[in-house]
Each structure stands twice: as C-alpha cells, then as structure tokens.
Amino acid sequence: MKVRKAVIPAAGLGTRVLPASKAVPKEMLPIVDKPAIQFIVEEAVASGIEDILVITNRGKSLIEDHFDRAPELEEKLLFSGKQQIYDEMVALSRLCNIHYVRQKETRGLGHAVYCAKAFVGNEPFAVLYGDDVIVSQKPAIGQLIEAAERFDKCVVGIKEVPSDLISSYCTLDVSPVEDNIYDVFDMIEKPMPEEILSNFAILGRCVLTPDIFDVLAHTPPSRNGEIQLTDAMRTVAKHGGMMGVEYEGKRYDMGNKLGILQAIVEVGLAHPEVGTGFRQYLRELSKSL
Ligand code: UTP
C-alpha cells in the first residue's frame, strides 16, 4: 500500500479546555507562536502526505483562514521590509493541498472519520487527531506509515501509559513482533478496572484502510452516545488486520489544560528565538517554587 492522504478530525467541542475553546478552536490554541494544528499539518507533510482533509464544524473557520493567503497582511509585511516573515506566511499557505468538510453534528471521532469517506475513496489513509501534537525527530505519522506500507495492515500509534491513567485511554491486547512493532488483537475504550488488557494505549495517530468505512457504518454509538473510532478498529483488530507502532516522540494533549502547559514550556525551551531567555526565566522562577 501507499499512503498519500491524511485526515485531521478537528470538530470536537473541546469542553475540557473551556472557556479558551469557546470561540477559538482548541486546534488553534498557540504553542508559543504556532497553532497546534500547524504542527500536525507539518508532521503530515514531512511524512510524504500530499492531500489533507480537515474535519471541521460551524465554529472552526479560523482553521481555514490560517492556511489561506492573507493579501493585506502580506502586502504590509513586504512594504515594511519584513521579507523573512512574509516568506514564512506564503510558505504556510502552500504547505499542502488542504481540504475541509464539516461534521454537521458532533457525534464522535468515529463519525468524524466517516465524514472523510468521499475524500479517501479506495486508498489507505492516515488519521492525525487534531488535538494531539507530537514532537519528534522522525515524524510520528511517518513511523506508522512505514509499518503500514511494509506489513500491508492498519496501524495504530501506541505508548505505555501509567496504570492509574489507562482507564482514560483505549487499552490494547498486544504481542511484540519486532523492536517497537506489535500485533494488536483487541482494544477497549476507557476500560473498567477488570477490562484492562495492558498499559499500552492508542495515542493520537493511526493509519487505516478504506474498509473501515463499512465497519463504521455499522458501528452503534457507545455509552456516551458517540460513535467511537476504537469500536470500529476493534473489529479490524479481531480479524487480524491491526498492528501497533510504539512511536518515538513526545505527545502533548492539547485537549486538556495540563497538556497545553507542558507543550508551551517544552516547545518554548527549544525555541530558537526565545528559548534561552525562557530558560533563564524558568530557572529564576523555579527558585521560588
Ligand atoms: P476528543 O474527545 O479529545 O475531543 O476527540 P472533544 O470531544 O473536543 O473533547 P472534550 O471531551 O469535549 O474536551 C479527539 C479528536 O477528535 C475530534 C476532536 O476535535 C479531537 O481532535 N472529534 C471529536 C471530532 O472531530 N468530532 C467529534 O464528534 C468528536
């Protein structure tokens, strides 16, 4: 298989980061000087993705504006001799072919992915959750795509999470294949204590084949009334079609307040322009903690 397309579901309501996400999509919350979704688009582009579909909804038009040209701003930048930032702004609008579709009702991640059916057609595709930013040497979705193309199967991005947190994630039944690659046999979303399969959880990325749409079409809503992507992926796993890659990289959950703070601090420390000053500031501040 060859993975050329990616889907970024970004239509969630972000209730855990209100009031910040009331009028500004959580995917647009900045990590120092870049909105979260730009990190995600850049990761997809660096992994060889040619076309991206962002799943949006009524409140998310800022995302479209961000990846569009901005003629007045560009003119002003050129006029005032700010060539470098002008070039950056134009390059941003040319990053990739980005398409948009609206999820008309917020019926869960599975339903959001189903909205990509026409865009995906008959090809495998990558899914990058719009509120999960992953900073890594080698782009995380690229690591998954490599395994999907090699084994010709669906792949989920996995990591071990602490025992006391696994009930907030999707627990996995896995068996090692080689290095950081696993077979995935089963998965349970937000398990009860007696349902925990392992501390491995799906975190933010997967590569799927178009058969998932038939499965999603027959997946009923779960306990909270949402159609879960993991319920559909479970069917694939049970039929032997799913692998897991324990990807290299640090994941930041932009859907929760602590995750946002961690992203800002760590990206800020590594930032070429403000990193040194920020490090000094944190050193001083830490003395009073
Ligand atoms: P989350 O469950 O983390 O997002 O979905 P949420 O629903 O916005 O979260 P809270 O609980 O209200 O804070 C993971 C990803 O799936 C997208 C979200 O935008 C996020 O990127 N999503 C979720 C959709 O696109 N549509 C949905 O109906 C639900």
Side-chain angles (χ1 to χ4, degrees):
M1 68 164 82
K2 177 90 191 100
V3 183
R4 299 183 311 109
K5 292 181 178 173
V7 175
I8 303 181
L13 298 178
T15 54
R16 284 167 297 152
V17 287
L18 283 169
S21 53
K22 187 176 175 200
V24 177
K26 63 176 167 178
E27 297 79 9
M28 286 298 292
L29 294 176
I31 304 178
V32 189
D33 52 4
K34 246 191 233 184
I37 196 166
Q38 189 180 332
F39 284 85
I40 297 172
V41 167
E42 287 173 349
E43 177 190 330
V45 171
S47 306
I49 293 295
E50 295 162 17
D51 281 278
I52 294 176
L53 178 72
V54 184
I55 316 286
T56 65
N57 66 19
R58 282 173 291 281
K60 308 260 183 175
S61 48
L62 280 183
I63 298 177
E64 292 175 52
D65 295 344
H66 185 70
F67 294 103
D68 198 356
R69 292 293 295 265
E72 284 170 16
L73 173 69
E74 289 165 17
E75 201 179 311
K76 174 95 181 166
L77 291 171
L78 268 188
F79 187 72
S80 45
K82 296 183 173 157
Q83 185 69 37
Q84 192 189 337
I85 185 79
Y86 167 83
D87 291 342
E88 270 177 47
M89 290 307 100
V90 175
L92 171 59
S93 67
R94 293 186 177 149
L95 263 177
C96 191
N97 299 321
I98 307 186
H99 315 257
Y100 302 90
V101 68
R102 283 187 179 192
Q103 182 189 19
K104 295 187 179 121
E105 291 169 276
T106 315
R107 292 178 56 202
L109 181 56
H111 181 258
V113 168
Y114 193 79
C115 297
K117 189 170 187 275
F119 165 80
V120 165
N122 202 22
E123 292 188 40
F125 63 106
V127 181
L128 300 93
Y129 300 11
D131 56 357
D132 275 320
V133 168
I134 301 173
V135 175
S136 55
Q137 287 283 323
K138 191 170 170 185
I141 197 66
Q143 300 173 47
L144 271 64
I145 290 174
E146 220 172 88
E149 291 180 349
R150 193 168 137 223
F151 292 96
D152 211 23
K153 285 193 181 184
C154 295
V155 171
V156 283
I158 66 174
K159 272 190 187 291
E160 276 188 288
V161 301
S163 302
D164 55 326
L165 295 182
I166 187 71
S167 59
S168 318
Y169 293 92
C170 178
T171 177
L172 299 173
D173 177 13
V174 297
S175 158
V177 174
E178 62 180 56
D179 302 328
N180 59 339
I181 301 182
Y182 297 78
D183 275 324
V184 177
F185 305 113
D186 198 1
M187 57 183 76
I188 300 177
E189 183 70 36
K190 304 207 170 41
M192 307 296 282
E194 65 280 7
E195 292 176 322
I196 293 170
L197 302 167
S198 76
N199 284 358
F200 276 105
I202 300 177
L203 291 182
R205 302 286 181 268
C206 54
V207 176
L208 299 170
T209 54
D211 328 351
I212 198 77
F213 295 114
D214 281 342
V215 186
L216 277 171
H218 297 102
T219 301
S222 70
R223 283 182 285 226
N224 63 1
E226 296 197 337
I227 298 173
Q228 303 285 354
L229 180 60
T230 43
D231 284 345
M233 293 200 289
R234 185 180 198 195
T235 307
V236 177
K238 290 201 161 201
H239 285 86
M242 181 70 72
M243 302 189 84
V245 168
E246 191 178 5
Y247 58 80
E248 172 272 314
K250 182 89 189 269
R251 163 192 175 260
Y252 301 102
D253 181 0
M254 296 296 289
N256 91 54
K257 292 170 194 171
L258 189 58
I260 296 174
L261 284 172
Q262 288 164 341
I264 292 173
V265 169
E266 292 186 39
V267 171
L269 283 170
H271 195 283
E273 194 184 315
V274 295
T276 311
F278 186 49
R279 185 172 300 273
Q280 272 166 7
Y281 167 74
L282 279 188
R283 281 215 174 101
E284 277 306 309
L285 183 70
S286 68
K287 291 179 191 159
S288 64
L289 296 179

